[in-house]
Amino acid sequence: WGRVGMGTSNEHNPEQKATQAEANIKSAHQILKTLQEKIGEHPEIGAAITKLEMALNDLAVGTGGLL
């Protein structure tokens, strides 16, 4: 998670971190959806997709919809 200290130009601000988190979640979501299409319905994949959707919603609420 990095060190705490004086801000530097290469540290990400919270909005950038939220945007990166959103991109990672969307990517994982798409990968799981593609996998689900290839192998069919599977309860664990469905649960993972649901959890990713919930995490994305939490990020949106936590950032005031800035995502």
Side-chain angles (χ1 to χ4, degrees):
W1 285 96
R3 295 184 339 214
V4 177
M6 299 295 287
T8 63
S9 60
N10 24 341
E11 289 181 5
H12 297 287
N13 68 35
E15 288 179 18
Q16 289 172 322
K17 286 182 181 181
T19 301
Q20 185 61 44
E22 176 193 20
N24 288 334
I25 290 171
K26 283 184 176 182
S27 176
H29 184 266
Q30 186 57 48
I31 291 166
L32 285 172
K33 284 288 208 179
T34 300
L35 182 60
Q36 187 176 41
E37 289 171 7
K38 288 181 180 180
I39 66 170
E41 292 293 323
H42 191 281
E44 290 171 339
I45 292 175
I49 290 170
T50 299
K51 288 196 177 279
L52 284 170
E53 290 170 345
M54 290 172 26
L56 191 54
N57 288 335
D58 289 344
L59 274 173
V61 170
T63 60
L66 294 176
L67 298 178

